[in-house]
């Protein structure tokens, strides 16, 4: 029964909600292994054994939002706030380029200091100094005009997790001034403007049900993103969700494999959060269908301050250490890091 559902998905057939529910909730080990191995096969069909590197530069821990799960939410008075200067960001890129990175991801809280003019100048400089590199932004909700200007300055990709496609759950995770409708509009705008677009959600977020996860999968089918980011929810001690339980490694891995089968060509990272809840989480993610890793390129002096959740890994190491560490981890899982931009195979630029 489960096996038939898995084969149906592998053969590119859409599953019913009931079938998805069975697949998401199963703890059958044999079915889990079949799902994983087919996901790995599909990933290898399109991306071989290649694993792409994304150098994550955490440009600001200031955030005007107050998401209930996030450690840098504005009402966390214990959060240490910083922002990187233009020069600091450029030196992260120079360091990263030497280490073989060909994608730089600028991520930060929603910080109005980073105006379009300021960001465009940085993007233009990165693209002129490193023309063979892709620039990814992960800076939250902005206006269509802003997204257009950043794209025209040279940005290639944008990560904006939708967080929860079900309105009732979205509202439990976010303050009232944020809306799912706006979040979805931003994502469709990013697609329209020609960004390789990433959406995604946390696995095991407080109040999340299997039905909610199915809504997330259905939303992703509508959006057809080039990238999907999922990782387990991990509580942060200074947030309203401090006592909630963390998301499960097994469920995250199962969902990664389901995503690989539903979206065969998607760029799928084995996330830092997955490496945080399980010491071998990222290796297991690669074996379950992932093809991207995102080592930290931020200056060591600020790393502990970009604390979205507790016990985040890689906060004490230099960029070169993270790079080397991941190289070993990726090859131990049987894959190879490649020094390429790593665009979605459907995306010819
Ligand atoms: N646990 C796991 N992931 C988190 N994120 C934010 N807070 C947490 C947390 N407590 C994720 C969100 C966001 C991304 C940058 O980090 O999904 O989109
Ligand atoms: Fe950062 Fe291992 S990936 S230290």
């Amino acid at each position: 029964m489960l096996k038939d559902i898995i084969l149906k998905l592998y053969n590119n057939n859409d599953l019913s909600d009931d079938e998805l529910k069975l697949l998401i909730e199963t703890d059958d080990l044999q079915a889990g292994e079949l799902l994983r191995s087919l996901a790995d096969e599909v990933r290898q069909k399109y991306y071989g054994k290649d694993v792409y590197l994304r150098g994550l530069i955490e440009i600001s821990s200031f955030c005007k939002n107050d998401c209930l799960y996030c450690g840098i939410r504005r009402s966390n008075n214990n959060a240490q706030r910083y922002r990187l200067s233009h020069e600091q960001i450029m030196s992260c890129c120079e360091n990263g380029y030497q280490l073989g990175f060909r994608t730089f991801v600028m991520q930060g809280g929603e910080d109005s200091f980073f105006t379009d003019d300021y960001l465009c100048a940085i993007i233009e400089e990165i693209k002129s100094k490193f023309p063979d590199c892709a620039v990814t932004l992960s800076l939250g909700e902005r206006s269509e005009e802003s997204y257009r200007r950043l794209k025209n300055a040279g940005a290639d990709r944008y990560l904006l997790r939708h967080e929860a496609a079900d309105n009732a759950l979205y509202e439990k995770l976010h303050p009232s001034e944020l809306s799912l409708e706006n979040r979805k509009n931003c994502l469709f705008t990013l697609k329209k403007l020609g960004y390789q677009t990433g959406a995604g959600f946390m696995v095991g977020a407080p109040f999340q049900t299997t039905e909610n996860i199915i809504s997330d999968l259905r939303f992703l089918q509508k959006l057809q993103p080039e990238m999907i980011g999922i990782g387990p929810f991990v509580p942060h001690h200074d947030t309203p969700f401090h006592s909630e339980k963390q998301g499960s490694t097994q469920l995250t891995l199962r969902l990664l494999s389901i995503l690989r089968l539903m979206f065969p060509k998607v760029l799928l990272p084995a996330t830092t959060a997955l490496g945080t809840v399980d010491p071998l989480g990222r290796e297991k993610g690669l074996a379950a269908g992932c093809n991207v890793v995102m080592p930290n390129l931020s200056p060591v002096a600020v790393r502990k301050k970009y604390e979205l959740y507790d016990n985040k890994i890689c906060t004490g190491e230099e960029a070169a250490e993270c790079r080397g560490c991941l190289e070993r981890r990726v090859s131990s899982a049987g894959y190879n890091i490649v020094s390429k931009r790593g665009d979605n195979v459907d995306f010819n630029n």
Side-chain angles (χ1 to χ4, degrees):
M1 174 64 181
L2 265 173
K3 187 179 167 197
D4 296 333
I5 296 177
I6 295 168
L7 290 174
K8 187 173 168 190
L9 186 60
Y10 171 71
N11 290 313
N12 288 319
N13 296 299
D14 200 16
L15 299 185
S16 69
D17 285 4
D18 289 342
E19 290 170 326
L20 277 173
K21 186 173 163 77
L22 282 171
L23 202 50
I24 293 168
E25 291 182 346
T26 184
D27 48 18
D28 181 321
L29 292 177
Q30 252 186 316
E33 177 51 24
L34 178 67
L35 180 65
R36 187 207 64 74
S37 64
L38 293 176
D40 187 38
E41 183 192 317
V42 168
R43 167 254 203 268
Q44 292 199 35
K45 174 171 173 195
Y46 294 107
Y47 292 100
K49 300 237 175 225
D50 288 3
V51 172
Y52 303 125
L53 283 177
R54 314 301 193 203
L56 187 63
I57 308 172
E58 296 154 335
I59 67 172
S60 176
S61 69
F62 286 89
C63 191
K64 68 170 198 280
N65 289 335
D66 216 20
C67 305
L68 278 80
Y69 45 83
C70 185
I72 63 168
R73 64 202 301 268
R74 67 158 188 269
S75 48
N76 180 7
N77 297 120
N78 295 326
Q80 299 184 55
R81 310 290 176 175
Y82 72 90
R83 54 175 72 94
L84 299 183
S85 66
H86 183 126
E87 292 69 30
Q88 281 177 305
I89 295 170
M90 287 311 302
S91 71
C92 290
C93 295
E94 269 143 37
N95 188 9
Y97 194 86
Q98 297 301 322
L99 293 169
F101 291 80
R102 295 296 178 269
T103 293
F104 301 114
V105 182
M106 287 194 268
Q107 184 178 86
E110 290 193 17
D111 178 0
S112 47
F113 175 86
F114 285 94
T115 59
D116 294 343
D117 285 338
Y118 195 94
L119 287 167
C120 285
I122 297 172
I123 295 165
E124 281 161 11
E125 189 171 338
I126 297 176
K127 295 296 284 193
S128 78
K129 285 207 172 124
F130 311 105
D132 53 338
C133 290
V135 169
T136 303
L137 303 176
S138 178
L139 300 168
E141 296 181 4
R142 303 175 73 94
S143 66
E144 173 162 354
E145 185 48 30
S146 170
Y147 289 147
R148 182 177 292 110
R149 287 193 57 198
L150 300 172
K151 183 84 184 48
N152 289 339
D156 300 278
R157 311 188 187 125
Y158 205 104
L159 304 175
L160 181 68
R161 290 192 181 174
H162 65 280
E163 310 295 358
D166 176 84
N167 203 47
L169 179 60
Y170 191 92
E171 287 182 357
K172 287 183 189 148
L173 303 178
H174 299 97
S176 57
E177 66 270 17
L178 287 177
S179 79
L180 177 60
E181 191 193 359
N182 192 52
R183 177 62 56 121
K184 289 181 173 174
N185 286 340
C186 286
L187 282 162
F188 286 106
T189 300
L190 290 163
K191 282 279 288 188
K192 181 183 78 181
L193 293 173
Y195 283 94
Q196 291 177 62
T197 303
F201 58 93
M202 293 178 292
V203 177
F207 314 111
Q208 184 186 58
T209 62
T210 300
E211 285 67 28
N212 294 146
I213 294 174
I214 294 171
S215 304
D216 290 321
L217 299 177
R218 297 295 180 214
F219 170 69
L220 292 169
Q221 286 179 315
K222 281 203 198 89
L223 181 68
Q224 290 295 321
E226 284 74 23
M227 313 175 279
I228 299 176
I230 67 164
F233 162 73
V234 185
H236 182 287
H237 61 281
D238 279 324
T239 63
F241 292 160
H242 57 85
S243 299
E244 301 289 336
K245 83 179 214 300
Q246 71 179 25
S248 117
T249 304
Q250 284 314 315
L251 179 57
T252 306
L253 293 171
R254 219 173 311 136
L255 284 167
L256 285 167
S257 295
I258 293 173
L259 288 169
R260 171 59 68 201
L261 294 181
M262 289 179 80
F263 305 93
K265 299 178 182 175
V266 80
L267 294 162
L268 197 60
T271 56
T272 306
L274 185 55
T276 296
V277 296
D278 182 326
L280 293 176
R282 287 169 298 177
E283 290 86 333
K284 293 174 186 170
L286 293 171
C290 293
N291 64 334
V292 170
V293 290
M294 302 179 70
N296 201 320
L297 264 186
S298 307
V300 174
V302 305
R303 284 194 191 186
K304 285 201 169 48
K305 302 181 188 171
Y306 195 79
E307 190 187 45
L308 307 185
Y309 48 82
D310 289 344
N311 307 312
K312 190 175 154 214
I313 54 171
C314 303
T315 55
E317 3 285 304
E318 294 288 345
E321 295 177 74
C322 262
R323 170 70 173 83
C325 170
L326 270 170
E327 179 87 55
R328 290 188 295 278
R329 288 171 182 274
V330 168
S331 41
S332 81
Y335 306 91
N336 315 306
I337 285 184
V338 293
S339 186
K340 292 186 186 161
R341 278 173 54 119
D343 291 289
N344 183 294
V345 288
D346 277 341
F347 218 90
N348 289 316
N349 54 118

